[in-house]
Amino acid sequence: MDTESDTGLDTGLDIERLALVVARRAAAEIEDTARETYRVTRKSTEQDLLTEADLRSESVIMDLLRTARPDDAVLAEESGYQAGRSGVTWIVDPLDGTANFVRASPHYAVSVAAVSGERWLASVIVRPADGQWMATLDGSLDGSFTRSPGPAERHVRVAVALPYGAEELKEAHGILRLVGRRYQVVRTGSAACDLLRVAARTLDAHIAVALPWWDTAAGHGLVRAGGGTVTRGRSLRRTRIDIAGEPAVVRALLGLLTEHRHVVG
């Protein structure tokens, strides 16, 4: 029987619809914060920002998940890992692209995924600025994006996400230069927004260098649900490199990076 909690949440929702409701509630909280005067602090670097919007969004997500799925584990960017006993883990980025949010660029998003082992149970990305969203519902993709058939090979566009760590950033810049010689490279500052476009086939692939799981989990789930592929490799320095997108483009990128020793296994 469906029930409604004091948060107004229907706790009888299946896991995919719950993920969408949670992400939309968090997106609304972010937009409410954007209309106020909010504080900005820095974490690891000048570009690694934290705002009240990040914290309020994550608080909304955590409250809703505790209400609906109290036995699940949660990995969230700001509050870290909280263990569970159900075998389900939620991976949450309450605000991906905080620097863009601060600068009033629309490229920021809420990213929510649920997994059980290697199996994706739910994936949702919502862009608060324009309301664009994509989710897995009933095992397939749904959302406000119209999926493109994909551009011709000569127009392949690849998003590259850069890490904050100094050593990883050096590797990422090498990859950026190499890929840029063959393909058009796109950078927005939000892995979630870029992966949303890969799932919608308006971008062909996404390369993530040393990004934490919360940055990419939901996006990788969406790409897979849309018929794309995700592959993981490591560099000579053992830096993790994830490539997601159209299968043929992912194979070509992996071959290029392997040939030039950016990926060794």
Side-chain angles (χ1 to χ4, degrees):
M1 179 181 295
D2 291 353
T3 59
E4 190 168 292
S5 70
D6 57 7
T7 62
L9 177 68
D10 178 356
T11 56
L13 292 170
D14 66 58
I15 199 165
E16 289 182 319
R17 284 169 177 78
L18 174 63
L20 180 56
V21 169
V22 166
R24 282 174 163 167
R25 292 269 194 99
E29 188 69 28
I30 290 169
E31 287 309 279
D32 285 346
T33 308
R35 290 188 281 270
E36 304 170 2
T37 300
Y38 56 85
R39 188 164 53 91
V40 181
T41 57
R42 286 169 173 78
K43 296 192 285 186
S44 61
T45 71
E46 286 295 307
Q47 295 300 312
D48 190 8
L49 305 181
L50 177 68
T51 72
E52 290 174 51
D54 297 77
L55 298 175
R56 286 168 59 172
S57 172
E58 184 160 306
S59 179
V60 166
I61 293 169
M62 297 300 289
D63 286 348
L64 294 172
L65 291 180
R66 286 192 195 103
T67 297
R69 307 272 310 186
D71 293 331
D72 293 354
V74 182
L75 174 65
E77 179 175 12
E78 308 308 336
S79 54
Y81 180 71
Q82 298 186 23
R85 56 186 181 183
S86 68
V88 173
T89 300
W90 294 82
I91 307 102
V92 172
D93 193 336
L95 177 48
D96 183 66
T98 302
N100 291 336
F101 171 75
V102 170
R103 297 177 184 122
S105 164
H107 301 296
Y108 56 91
V110 178
S111 177
V112 176
V115 301
S116 178
E118 296 295 317
R119 188 164 60 98
W120 258 252
L121 305 176
S123 299
V124 180
I125 294 174
V126 178
R127 287 172 49 117
D130 55 18
Q132 297 278 15
W133 64 279
M134 187 171 285
T136 54
L137 293 174
D138 301 320
S140 59
L141 284 183
D142 197 357
S144 58
F145 276 84
T146 301
R147 296 190 77 211
S148 164
E153 174 69 20
R154 66 180 179 277
H155 299 306
V156 165
R157 303 174 74 208
V158 178
V160 179
L162 302 183
Y164 291 118
E167 289 303 314
E168 294 88 351
L169 191 58
K170 289 179 184 176
E171 290 187 274
H173 279 141
I175 290 171
L176 191 64
R177 288 191 295 271
L178 176 63
V179 173
R181 294 189 196 117
R182 184 170 299 185
Y183 304 111
Q184 182 181 350
V185 171
V186 176
R187 288 201 60 240
T188 65
S190 169
C193 289
D194 289 340
L195 284 163
L196 185 66
R197 294 172 66 193
V198 173
R201 294 179 177 168
T202 57
L203 287 176
D204 295 277
H206 180 269
I207 301 174
V209 181
L211 291 191
W213 203 14
W214 52 73
D215 281 336
T216 59
H220 286 172
L222 294 177
V223 170
R224 284 188 168 108
T229 189
V230 180
T231 187
R232 173 170 292 179
R234 292 195 177 272
S235 71
L236 284 169
R237 293 190 177 95
R238 309 306 296 167
T239 299
R240 193 182 74 253
I241 299 170
D242 298 323
I243 310 173
E246 295 294 315
V249 178
V250 170
R251 287 194 298 271
L253 285 168
L254 184 60
L256 179 66
L257 297 182
T258 302
E259 177 186 353
H260 290 268
R261 302 282 289 170
H262 286 289
V263 173
V264 295

